[in-house]
Amino acid sequence: MTQPGAIDTSIRTLGTPKLTSRLPYRTWVDDVRLPIQVDRELCDEFTEPVRLDFEAAGPRKKLYFDPSRAKCAIVTCGGLCPGLNDVIRAIVMEAHHAYHVPSIMGIRYGLEGFIPACGHQPMELTPERVADIHRFGGTILGSSRGPQSAEEIVDSLERSNVSILFVIGGDGSMKAALSISREVQARNLKIAVIGIPKTIDNDINFIPQSFGFETAVYKATEAIECAHTEARGMPNGIGLVKLMGRESGFIAANASLSMREVNFVLVPEVPFSLYGERGLFPALEKCLAAHSQAGPAVAGGAMAILSDLLSEHETRCDASGNKALGDITGFLRAKIAEYFSAKKIPYYLKYIDPSYMIRSVPANANDRLYCGFLGQHAVHAAMSGKTGMVVANIMDKFVHLPLELVTRKRRTMSVRSDLWQSVLETTGQGDVMGTSPEPEQHL
C-alpha cells in the first residue's frame, strides 16, 4: 500500500516573496494547507483512502514578482477541449485588472510557437482582444501536438523577457511543462511555470474532473439520444455511438448514465469478449429479441482490449507519442454484420461519431465558471513566485499540485468505483458480458 509520506505535495518557489500585494483582500492564503482525503478513484496507487495536505490556491499577501514589470505568456497545447478560450480569457483579465501586468503574450500553435524555425509570431493579449472569445469553441491561440526542445523553449522565454509561462494542456503538455520548469531551474532563471490541466478524457492524475468534461458529457448525451431515436424507429435497430476515451471511459460511463438508454458500455478499463456464452454479440442478440432495439456506447480506447483479435492492426503513435488507436466501431460494425448474417437475423445499424463536435463546442455555464476560477488562481500562484505546479479542484477546494504528481501516470476509471457499478446496474451488462469485477479478497 502507498503511504501518505510517499507523496510529496510541496510546491517549489522562485524565492522569498517580499512585495506587498495591493489586492483589496482581507483573507489571504499564504500559509494555508488543506487536508483532503484521496482514494484510488483519484489515483490508483492507493489501496485505501489516505489524507494528504495540499497548498491552498488563492491570493497571497506577499508577491515575488513586481506586477508593473512582469510579462506573461500563455500557450495552449494538444487536442481541443471546451473551455480553452475561457481559461485564456480568465488569465488575461485577472493579470490585467487585478495585478495591472503590462504585457501578456499569446504563443501561437502550441509549443511550436516557441521555435523560431516554425515561424509563428506571438499575439499580444489584451482585455479587448479576449473579451468575447469565451463564446466560441477551440482556442484563439491555436494548438499543435508533438514534443519540442525544452532548451529552445527556454531560450525563447529568455529572449522575450517572460516572467511567467502558463501552459494549458493535457498529460503530454504537463510533462512538457515539467521539462521546461526543470530547464529553467537548471539555468537558475526566475521564470514561473504554471500548468492548467486540460483533457476531454478526464484522465489527469489526482484531478477528479478537468474543465470541459461536463460540456463533453452533455454533448455526448445528445449523440446517444439521436442513436436511441434511430434504433427504436425500426425493428431490430442498433444505435452505435463512439465516444472519446483513449485510456479511460469516463465520458462513455457518465453520458450513458445520464441517458440511461444504453444497453452496453465498452471502455478501455474493462475486458470483454465478442463471442461465447457471455460475449457481446450473443448478449446483443438477446437484447434485440427482448426489446427490438439496442444501443451500445463505446469509448475509443476500448480497441486496446480487442487488439489481439486484429492481426492487421499496427501499433502506431501520433505526434505526441500517444498510441494510435484502431477503428473499434468500424471493426464492430463489420463483425456485427458477420454475426447476424450468419444467423440470418435482420437488423438495422445506425452509427454516430460525435468526437469532433464534442471537442470543439463552447463550454457550458458550469465549465465557464470552473475555467474562470482556474485562470484566476493560476495568476495568484504565479505572482507569488510559485512554479512547477498546476491548479486543481479537489473535493470542491482549489489547491496547488506539483507537476511531478499529476504526470506520474494517467488516471483511469476504477472498475470498483460507484460510477462503474452504477453503469453495470443500469445497463445489466455485467450478467451477460462478464464485465463485473471479481469480488475483493478480504484477509
Side-chain angles (χ1 to χ4, degrees):
M1 182 185 73
T2 301
Q3 299 296 327
I7 302 295
D8 183 7
T9 62
S10 61
I11 303 299
R12 193 165 60 84
T13 62
L14 295 174
T16 303
K18 297 179 180 179
L19 302 176
T20 300
S21 173
R22 296 185 179 181
L23 293 180
Y25 293 106
R26 295 183 181 178
T27 302
W28 308 93
V29 295
D30 294 63
D31 299 312
V32 176
R33 295 193 68 84
L34 301 173
I36 297 176
Q37 181 169 289
V38 176
D39 58 23
R40 63 183 171 194
E41 291 190 33
L42 283 182
C43 177
D44 60 14
E45 296 177 39
F46 298 106
T47 55
E48 60 186 50
V50 297
R51 280 196 171 275
L52 296 175
D53 285 341
F54 296 96
E55 188 175 275
R60 263 67 183 170
K61 189 173 183 178
K62 291 294 184 179
L63 306 181
Y64 179 80
F65 289 107
D66 180 348
S68 67
R69 299 181 180 182
K71 184 177 184 179
C72 300
I74 305 174
V75 64
T76 52
C77 310
L80 297 183
C81 174
L84 284 167
N85 278 335
D86 299 80
V87 176
I88 295 170
R89 183 177 186 271
I91 292 172
V92 172
M93 294 300 192
E94 184 71 12
H96 180 85
H97 292 303
Y99 289 98
H100 307 292
V101 172
S103 178
I104 306 165
M105 184 172 64
I107 307 302
R108 303 300 307 279
Y109 302 111
L111 297 179
E112 284 187 7
F114 290 108
I115 310 303
C118 294
H120 305 311
Q121 294 301 310
M123 171 192 300
E124 188 68 25
L125 297 176
T126 62
E128 294 74 24
R129 175 160 256 172
V130 303
D132 297 325
I133 64 174
H134 61 294
R135 299 180 182 179
F136 307 100
T139 162
I140 188 177
L141 299 177
S143 187
S144 65
R145 293 187 182 276
Q148 303 295 340
S149 165
E151 291 81 2
E152 284 193 79
I153 293 172
V154 176
D155 287 344
S156 178
L157 292 173
E158 278 197 278
R159 283 193 299 269
S160 302
N161 295 316
V162 170
S163 311
I164 300 164
L165 171 64
F166 297 99
V167 181
I168 310 170
D171 178 72
S173 304
M174 293 303 100
K175 290 178 180 176
L178 179 58
S179 296
I180 295 168
S181 177
R182 287 173 173 169
E183 179 65 20
V184 167
Q185 186 178 16
R187 300 188 192 188
N188 198 29
L189 301 174
K190 301 303 182 182
I191 302 174
V193 181
I194 307 293
I196 298 95
K198 170 240 41 162
T199 166
I200 203 168
D201 292 344
N202 207 37
D203 60 357
I204 297 288
N205 198 33
F206 266 85
I207 296 179
Q209 183 168 314
S210 53
F211 75 81
F213 179 71
E214 182 175 303
T215 304
V217 169
Y218 175 73
K219 296 303 292 185
T221 61
E222 292 182 347
I224 291 174
E225 186 174 15
C226 291
H228 178 69
T229 300
E230 290 282 355
R232 70 183 179 184
M234 56 192 72
N236 283 358
I238 301 174
L240 180 63
V241 180
K242 178 184 178 182
L243 299 174
M244 304 186 79
R246 176 174 294 278
E247 295 181 18
S248 60
F250 289 110
I251 288 182
N254 280 274
S256 298
L257 284 177
S258 176
M259 295 304 298
R260 298 186 183 270
E261 295 172 342
V262 177
N263 303 109
F264 307 99
V265 181
L266 310 180
V267 294
E269 297 91 339
V270 181
F272 62 91
S273 57
L274 299 181
Y275 307 99
E277 182 181 355
R278 303 179 74 185
L280 172 62
F281 293 160
L284 187 59
E285 180 184 352
K286 292 177 184 177
C287 186
L288 292 178
H291 307 291
S292 296
Q293 64 183 57
V298 182
M303 173 58 77
I305 296 173
L306 299 177
S307 60
D308 58 333
L309 301 177
L310 299 173
S311 58
E312 72 277 13
H313 179 64
E314 297 178 0
T315 300
R316 306 182 311 279
C317 291
D318 63 19
S320 296
N322 298 311
K323 184 178 179 181
L325 301 175
D327 180 13
I328 184 172
T329 47
F331 174 79
L332 286 177
R333 282 183 288 170
K335 293 301 180 182
I336 287 172
E338 289 180 13
Y339 181 86
F340 285 101
S341 296
K343 287 178 168 283
K344 301 188 184 318
I345 299 175
Y347 75 96
Y348 300 88
L349 188 147
K350 298 297 182 180
Y351 166 60
I352 297 177
D353 180 357
S355 299
Y356 291 101
M357 180 176 69
I358 289 174
R359 288 172 18 138
S360 59
V361 298
N364 66 14
N366 282 343
D367 270 328
R368 284 179 176 173
L369 183 66
Y370 186 14
C371 291
F373 283 125
L374 288 174
Q376 286 180 310
H377 288 311
V379 175
H380 289 318
M383 295 305 297
S384 66
K386 307 292 181 182
T387 189
M389 54 148 281
V390 305
V391 179
N393 184 295
I394 304 178
M395 305 302 178
D396 293 325
K397 298 181 185 296
F398 283 93
V399 297
H400 298 164
L401 300 178
L403 279 166
E404 288 86 353
L405 190 58
V406 299
T407 55
R408 284 165 71 139
K409 61 185 303 183
R410 280 183 173 163
R411 189 170 75 97
T412 57
M413 181 177 61
S414 170
V415 297
R416 302 186 188 282
S417 65
D418 291 340
L419 174 63
W420 185 244
Q421 291 301 321
S422 295
V423 169
L424 295 181
E425 292 166 13
T426 300
T427 61
Q429 70 185 54
D431 293 335
V432 294
M433 290 178 58
T435 50
S436 294
E438 294 296 325
E440 289 188 288
Q441 300 297 318
H442 297 284
L443 300 178

